[in-house]
Amino acid sequence: MMMHNGSNGYGNGVMTSASSSTATGTSSSPSATNAQSQALKTYFKTPEGRYKLHYEKTHPPGILPYSHGKSVSQITLAHLKEKSTHSGPAPSTSASASTSSGVRYAAARLLGVGGGNGSRTLSFVGGNGTSKAANGTSRSSTLAGSNGGHSMLNSNYDGKGTYLIFNVGDTLFISDLNSPDKDPIKAIHFSNSNPVCHAFDPEAKDGHDLLIGLSSGDVYSASLRQQLQDVGKKLVGAQHYNKEGSCKEGTGDSSFPVIKDQTQFSVAHARSSKSNPIARWHICQGSINSIAFSTDGGYLATVGRDGYLRVFDYSKEQLIGGGKSYYGALLCCAWSFDGKYILTGGEDDLVTVWSMEDRKVVAWGEGHNSWVSGVAFDSYWSSPTSDGTEENVMYRFGSVGQDTQLLLWDFTMDEIIVPLRRCPPGGSPTFSAGSQSSHWDSICPVGTLQPAPSMRDVPKLSPLVAHRVHSEPLSGVTFTEESILTACREGHVKIWVRPGTSESQSSNSEAIVGTSSKEQPLLPGKTSVSSYKSVHV
């Protein structure tokens, strides 16, 4: 669990409501050689059955591997509802001066303004499957045109369906999730900067349900439906925020005071009611790599270059707590559907489970042999032994990494084995009854950032299954009701259909492509948590 090839960008650790700094990920040198690109199995086994490769999505040929530099491919799922009778293309010019009072109702359109290589994240309030729609603060410039003239619309487009959005190089691609076609149905090009993050809000009241953040710090909000109706390759009818990274530190923005302590969390509100952004959150020194709102939108988690997870009460603008990684930067984070746990992953090769109730790390997942680049809870899965009550809830989550593997994990607190306190150095390595490790002595006080616990103090999880799903380092994992989606940093997306889904949908998944690679065996029985390991570090 030491350092692997890769480098991270450095940003200024500032988020703004209607803008925010996120950054990095990794930029390891190309290691997917012909020898490594051995054939991959098109299924993997779990206790509930086989997940089978259903479809693959990718960009058109011609984009060279690793030619996209700063832009690591990320995926966003977008479900468009039935088009209402009164809806139409979003107006291409908007002079609305609608404002919102306070950060809670701000657009919360969080963007990356720090430079450097790697991935960044964007999120709406309540971005994990639900949405706290916010009135658009539209004191911004408008990108009205496309292709230099009137946009041509596809009037036959019916306005509903599920779409997969992913970025590669200077282009944002949109694919029909349920179509067998590999190629995207829509491409949106950006001439001066690369898209690095995106998000979708199905409940956006102003119709601008798609957010796109660029490596330059620019952010656009637009209507996904309108993009699909337009046959051009330029973004149409979009609102433009943080033009050319105008909220970057050092630009002399008079709306906010100078940050006095670069290492401390602080919130500043704009001096003018006409300002947009309306608030600036200075999180830390260095880049922010990932952000995630809890399902109800009440809490915000961030992870960054400094290796800290930070959890905030969003409406109160208050730091609740957090903790340090075992080693290196943290690259990704995700909430459980009930808001009780947060997953993080990063350069220590660990998947960390953080408890909101205890405000500390409660488990480490060991199984990746390179940086963990994506984590997500499977909110559609339920344990076969579940009785429907909240007691003894078992969670399923997934992680992907630069080792090209997808790992699935089961976790329940009832199976966690809390290590007992060690005796003084030089004594017998036995445990005295009733005295827990100092990491477990009490709930961490509100607002405290914990140091990294000792390896011996944290219970270890073992993966339920590990499967090599791509030839290139992975950048993201997403769960849907029917499938698991995995994406690699080169812009290839695979859709793995769940067991029990119609066989006719996945009949093309049975074949093995070439020679099977050695698949890691399924762990026998329910081995969601391994016994406590007495590791000296």
Side-chain angles (χ1 to χ4, degrees):
M1 294 188 306
M2 286 294 106
M3 176 173 280
H4 301 271
N5 289 335
S7 63
N8 286 64
Y10 293 83
N12 57 20
V14 177
M15 295 194 319
T16 55
S17 295
S19 83
S20 138
S21 169
T22 61
T24 81
T26 57
S27 56
S28 56
S29 59
S31 58
T33 62
N34 291 336
Q36 184 191 26
S37 300
Q38 55 188 304
L40 304 172
K41 280 190 175 182
T42 58
Y43 66 89
F44 58 88
K45 300 175 182 178
T46 67
E48 56 266 22
R50 284 187 175 189
Y51 283 77
K52 302 176 183 178
L53 180 60
H54 188 35
Y55 293 145
E56 293 184 50
K57 305 290 183 181
T58 189
H59 52 78
I63 299 180
L64 297 176
Y66 294 90
S67 65
H68 45 281
K70 297 179 181 179
S71 178
V72 174
S73 295
Q74 306 292 323
I75 52 176
T76 292
L77 275 181
H79 180 67
L80 283 179
K81 300 177 182 179
E82 186 75 42
K83 187 177 180 181
S84 61
T85 55
H86 65 274
S87 67
S92 60
T93 58
S94 172
S96 168
S98 61
T99 60
S100 39
S101 56
V103 174
R104 180 175 181 180
Y105 297 105
R109 291 155 182 178
L110 307 177
L111 67 150
V113 299
N117 297 332
S119 62
R120 307 179 184 186
T121 58
L122 246 165
S123 180
F124 284 92
V125 177
N128 295 340
T130 63
S131 172
K132 266 191 178 179
N135 294 327
T137 54
S138 52
R139 288 186 300 274
S140 55
S141 57
T142 302
L143 185 69
S146 70
N147 305 327
H150 295 290
S151 60
M152 299 177 62
L153 300 183
N154 176 9
S155 59
N156 294 325
Y157 172 66
D158 65 2
K160 70 173 183 177
T162 303
Y163 298 92
L164 178 66
I165 302 165
F166 59 99
N167 58 290
V168 181
D170 63 357
T171 305
L172 193 73
F173 294 102
I174 305 174
S175 290
D176 184 342
L177 180 66
N178 298 313
S179 167
D181 294 335
K182 274 191 174 184
D183 292 337
I185 59 176
K186 174 75 176 181
I188 302 172
H189 292 282
F190 296 85
S191 57
N192 298 322
S193 185
N194 289 353
V196 292
C197 51
H198 28 86
F200 180 78
D201 178 8
E203 305 299 331
K205 293 180 180 178
D206 60 358
H208 281 215
D209 47 17
L210 176 63
L211 290 181
I212 305 165
L214 306 185
S215 57
S216 60
D218 296 71
V219 165
Y220 294 98
S221 68
S223 163
L224 175 59
R225 179 173 284 111
Q226 188 177 1
Q227 309 314 309
L228 291 168
Q229 288 174 329
D230 187 87
V231 298
K233 293 187 176 182
K234 299 294 183 182
L235 192 66
V236 295
Q239 296 290 337
H240 190 178
Y241 300 87
N242 200 42
K243 190 173 183 180
E244 297 177 352
S246 59
C247 294
K248 286 183 180 179
E249 191 175 356
T251 57
D253 185 354
S254 60
S255 299
F256 301 102
V258 175
I259 297 171
K260 295 180 180 180
D261 189 342
Q262 295 288 337
T263 64
Q264 295 298 312
F265 167 63
S266 64
V267 176
H269 295 272
R271 291 167 175 166
S272 170
S273 61
K274 297 181 179 180
S275 174
N276 192 25
I278 63 171
R280 180 193 65 200
W281 289 35
H282 176 76
I283 303 295
C284 58
Q285 190 173 22
S287 59
I288 301 171
N289 294 337
S290 184
I291 63 173
F293 283 99
S294 60
T295 304
D296 63 4
Y299 295 95
L300 173 67
T302 71
V303 293
R305 173 65 236 174
D306 64 358
Y308 276 97
L309 163 71
R310 291 174 172 86
V311 184
F312 304 92
D313 184 312
Y314 186 59
S315 62
K316 295 180 180 178
E317 301 177 341
Q318 179 184 10
L319 176 65
I320 296 299
K324 184 78 165 59
S325 66
Y326 181 71
Y327 169 83
L330 288 176
L331 306 176
C332 51
C333 60
W335 288 83
S336 63
F337 50 87
D338 55 10
K340 292 183 177 180
Y341 298 99
I342 303 171
L343 299 174
T344 66
E347 295 177 1
D348 55 12
D349 304 353
L350 297 171
V351 178
T352 299
V353 183
W354 197 84
S355 168
M356 277 290 285
E357 180 180 0
D358 296 323
R359 291 193 288 277
K360 64 182 64 175
V361 175
V362 293
W364 270 331
E366 295 180 325
H368 285 286
N369 53 40
S370 189
W371 296 358
V372 179
S373 50
V375 290
F377 278 95
D378 185 353
S379 59
Y380 301 94
W381 179 88
S382 60
S383 170
T385 60
S386 174
D387 57 4
T389 66
E390 292 188 0
E391 296 181 5
N392 195 26
V393 174
M394 179 175 285
Y395 300 83
R396 168 72 56 85
F397 59 86
S399 60
V400 294
Q402 291 199 14
D403 56 5
T404 73
Q405 290 197 107
L406 164 69
L407 271 57
L408 296 180
W409 315 73
D410 282 351
F411 164 76
T412 176
M413 275 302 294
D414 279 7
E415 294 186 14
I416 285 290
I417 302 172
V418 178
L420 301 177
R421 184 185 296 279
R422 288 184 167 274
C423 61
S428 171
T430 57
F431 301 96
S432 58
S435 179
Q436 294 182 331
S437 165
S438 59
H439 179 72
W440 300 89
D441 280 346
S442 63
I443 296 176
C444 186
V446 172
T448 303
L449 294 178
Q450 284 195 313
S454 170
M455 184 62 74
R456 71 175 77 93
D457 287 341
V458 180
K460 311 305 186 297
L461 302 178
S462 297
L464 187 71
V465 67
H467 181 67
R468 184 169 175 260
V469 289
H470 291 248
S471 297
E472 299 86 15
L474 296 172
S475 58
V477 57
T478 300
F479 292 92
T480 74
E481 188 172 1
E482 297 84 14
S483 60
I484 301 175
L485 279 60
T486 56
C488 74
R489 55 183 295 131
E490 292 301 315
H492 308 298
V493 181
K494 293 186 177 182
I495 302 164
W496 305 87
V497 70
R498 293 180 186 270
T501 305
S502 172
E503 290 297 323
S504 62
Q505 289 184 341
S506 54
S507 59
N508 63 338
S509 311
E510 292 290 346
I512 302 297
V513 183
T515 306
S516 300
S517 59
K518 185 177 180 181
E519 185 178 29
Q520 296 192 32
L522 183 68
L523 299 176
K526 187 173 71 173
T527 55
S528 61
V529 182
S530 63
S531 59
Y532 166 66
K533 302 176 182 178
S534 178
V535 180
H536 296 263
V537 292

